[in-house]
Amino acid sequence: MKRIHFFVLVITMLLPILSNAQERSKQDRARSIVSAVNRKDAKMYVDNFSENVKVYMYGEDGSFVLKVDGIEALYNNRAEHLKNHPEVRNEIQHLAEIDNRLIMHDKVWLTPDRKEGSSVVEIFTFDEEGKIERVDVIQQKNLFSQEK
């Protein structure tokens, strides 16, 4: 009987540790997003986001404008982007974690003809479950006119 109690106690103590080991870190989520872009996999991309995700783009007037509202809208946006840019490639340059946020500076090449990638900065805000609930994006205003 003592062995059973001991075994139950050990299992009870290990479950939270094993559960935490299964959680994905903020940096793992950022790497997954970049990998999804490079694999052209919109489903893999959105798996990192909460259902009520909001994506804001930095506007010319200095404010952030809501561009994507919800996981379905994000999936449609990413699927369309990957369809329109089948040769897109991303590389992470820097990652910085501050509290419940991760700042990612990455470079994007919309076509292989471009020698220089374009810088993009995303600030990801994470919810309590470790998924991304908000993204603030800063990118060159002429990013998509540079494809040729």
Side-chain angles (χ1 to χ4, degrees), residues 50-139:
S50 73
E51 291 292 319
N52 60 348
V53 62
K54 295 187 183 324
V55 178
Y56 295 85
M57 299 290 293
Y58 187 74
E60 290 185 35
D61 67 353
S63 66
F64 283 92
V65 178
L66 180 64
K67 292 293 185 176
V68 175
D69 191 358
I71 196 83
E72 187 177 333
L74 180 62
Y75 176 82
N76 292 336
N77 176 281
R78 293 296 81 197
E80 185 70 18
H81 177 77
L82 295 171
K83 182 178 134 193
N84 291 338
H85 306 285
E87 298 177 293
V88 66
R89 181 173 63 89
N90 273 30
E91 278 182 20
I92 294 174
Q93 305 297 301
H94 304 283
L95 294 172
E97 236 178 282
I98 302 171
D99 299 327
N100 69 329
R101 290 186 176 81
L102 179 86
I103 298 121
M104 179 170 73
H105 167 216
D106 58 318
K107 292 259 183 153
V108 62
W109 290 262
L110 294 174
T111 68
D113 301 337
R114 301 268 318 149
K115 290 183 181 172
E116 291 291 321
S118 297
S119 285
V120 178
V121 173
E122 293 108 341
I123 303 168
F124 301 110
T125 303
F126 290 79
D127 65 15
E128 301 80 35
E129 285 83 41
K131 290 207 168 191
I132 301 165
E133 66 182 358
R134 178 181 170 129
V135 185
D136 295 292
V137 181
I138 303 170
Q139 66 187 30

Side-chain angles (χ1 to χ4, degrees), residues 12-26:
T12 304
M13 290 171 49
L14 287 177
L15 282 176
I17 295 168
L18 294 173
S19 175
N20 287 341
Q22 299 297 319
E23 289 180 17
R24 297 180 71 189
S25 73
K26 293 172 186 71

